[in-house]
């Protein structure tokens, strides 16, 4: 006998029993990492639930909204301007996969030697265990890395061209892409993006970013009032949840964290070694590296990733009075995301150094997903800059499997050992 969610998945054409196995596998990983932590803030419950609801309650919510005429857009990179999609009455949700479970299915079509994030994402769709695939009205890809940009052709997605340099010509190209994205979503939803509505959606997402900034400010405390693993859970929920509800819940968490910081309540003791993770994103299902670092006795105090600072650090200037000015402001804000697809990417190096100082970081771990050449090669420059600044750093290249856990643990332990 199927429960309500199983009935929904069945109606969407999913393989319900395989999908149940997927949820079991993700929950198992969650319990072994996030769930195994001590002294978690009470308000984290909402964000834990948001992750657990991402294939059930959140999907039902989107199905209901579609019945009322909204369109659902799947995205795979934080370069896609969500404000525009929302202003045209669409619901954008990031659909990147962070689970090992779906990788063998992804490898049936895609080469084995591409990044696990891509194989996991497409594996979910190929195995019929992603409830978002069947309800998606538009998939939006982008040209950030070779594997992703070629994958979009295979699945026939709309593609935004993210430039590879940061000059004027590149900005003009990106600005034009943003304008064309507006036209694309207008065509999809049949609704015009009005300046007044766009101003509202810019405010909604700026408030979400400000709340995330506040959360991360609190991580500057010694000891921080929450673990890096919990901060990651919040970020993963940010990529899936309805933004107004998410921000409201984050205000509550921030209040609790302020109280904890005042009283010195933390899962860590004062003086715990403060680590920054820098590089590739850790999307839902992937808690591997944070968990390893914190179990080894250090604390992750900041993430210089797209599930970290790159997602929330810049706001959109909402002072423009008309659509032309707003679209330009959006293009300017998004172009400040320092993805490793840019060459040169000096702004990322500057940002890393500033974050290291602001968060009193004693060691940096470059987190490289296997075969992500952009972040892997860029780590050479980042590493030499950190060396000059006398900040010890370690590069780990890994996938979503558990096979290398022992080896990673040994390397991380040795790295932490040498930190002051
Ligand atoms: S802006 S980091 S979210 S592309 S998929 S580049 S890990 S090989 S995710 Fe990203 Fe946008 Fe850039 Fe951020 Fe590497 Fe894998 Fe490519 Fe990846």
């Amino acid at each position: 006998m199927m429960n309500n969610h199983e009935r929904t998945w069945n109606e969407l054409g999913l393989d319900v029993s395989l999908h149940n196995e997927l949820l079991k596998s993700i929950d198992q990983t969650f319990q072994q990492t996030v769930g195994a932590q001590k002294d978690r803030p009470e308000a984290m419950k909402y964000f834990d639930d948001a992750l657990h609801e991402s294939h059930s309650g959140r999907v039902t919510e989107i199905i209901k909204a579609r019945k009322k005429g909204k369109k659902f857009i799947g995205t795979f990179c934080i370069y896609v301007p969500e404000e525009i999609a929302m202003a045209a009455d669409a619901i954008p949700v990031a659909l990147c996969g962070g689970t090992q479970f779906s990788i063998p299915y992804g490898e049936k079509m895609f080469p084995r030697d591409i990044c696990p994030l891509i194989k996991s994402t497409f594996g979910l769709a190929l195995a019929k265990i992603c409830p978002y695939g069947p309800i998606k009205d538009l998939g939006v890809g982008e040209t950030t890395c070779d594997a992703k940009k070629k994958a979009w052709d295979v699945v026939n997605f709309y593609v935004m061209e993210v430039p590879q340099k940061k000059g004027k010509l590149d900005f003009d190209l990106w600005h034009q892409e943003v304008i064309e994205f507006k036209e694309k979503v207008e065509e999809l939803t049949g609704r015009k993006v009005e300046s007044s509505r766009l101003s509202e959606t810019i405010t909604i997402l700026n408030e979400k970013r400000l709340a995330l900034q506040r959360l991360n400010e609190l991580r500057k405390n010694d000891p921080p009032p929450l673990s890096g693993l919990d901060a990651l859970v919040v970020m993963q929920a940010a990529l899936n949840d309805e933004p107004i509800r998410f921000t409201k819940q984050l205000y509550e968490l921030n209040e609790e964290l302020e109280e904890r910081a005042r009283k010195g309540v933390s899962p860590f003791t004062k003086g715990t070694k403060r680590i920054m993770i820098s590089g590739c994103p850790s999307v839902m299902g992937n808690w591997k590296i944070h968990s390893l670092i914190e179990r080894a006795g250090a604390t992750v105090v900041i993430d210089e990733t797209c599930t970290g600072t790159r997602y929330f650090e810049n706001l959109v200037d909402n002072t423009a009075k008309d659509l032309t000015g707003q679209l330009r402001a959006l293009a300017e804000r998004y172009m400040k995301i320092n993805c490793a697809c840019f060459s040169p990417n000096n702004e990322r190096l500057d940002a890393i150094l500033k974050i290291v100082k602001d968060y009193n970081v004693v060691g940096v771990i470059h987190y490289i997903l296997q075969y992500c050449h952009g972040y892997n090669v860029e780590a050479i420059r980042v590493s030499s800059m950190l060396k000059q600044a006398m900040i010890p750093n370690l590069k780990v290249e890994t996938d979503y499997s558990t096979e290398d856990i022992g080896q990673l643990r040994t390397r991380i332990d040795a790295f932490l050992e040498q930190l002051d």
Side-chain angles (χ1 to χ4, degrees), residues 76-79 115 117-118 142 144-145 148 280-281 306 310 337 339 369 371-372 375:
F76 302 85
C77 174
I78 62 164
Y79 249 90
C115 147
L117 186 146
I118 301 172
E142 74 312 313
T144 45
C145 66
K148 279 215 269 186
C280 295
C306 288
R310 292 201 291 271
I337 301 171
C339 181
L369 286 174
Y371 308 115
C372 178
Y375 284 98

Side-chain angles (χ1 to χ4, degrees), residues 342-382:
F342 287 96
S343 171
N345 201 12
N346 298 333
E347 293 79 358
R348 177 167 173 239
L349 271 67
D350 296 343
I352 289 173
L353 211 50
K354 183 171 183 317
I355 299 167
V356 164
K357 287 186 184 137
D358 288 351
Y359 285 79
N360 210 2
V361 163
V362 298
V364 173
I365 294 195
H366 307 269
Y367 178 58
I368 312 295
L369 286 174
Q370 227 171 40
Y371 308 115
C372 178
H373 306 315
Y375 284 98
N376 201 350
V377 177
E378 193 153 281
I380 300 170
R381 287 190 72 209
V382 178

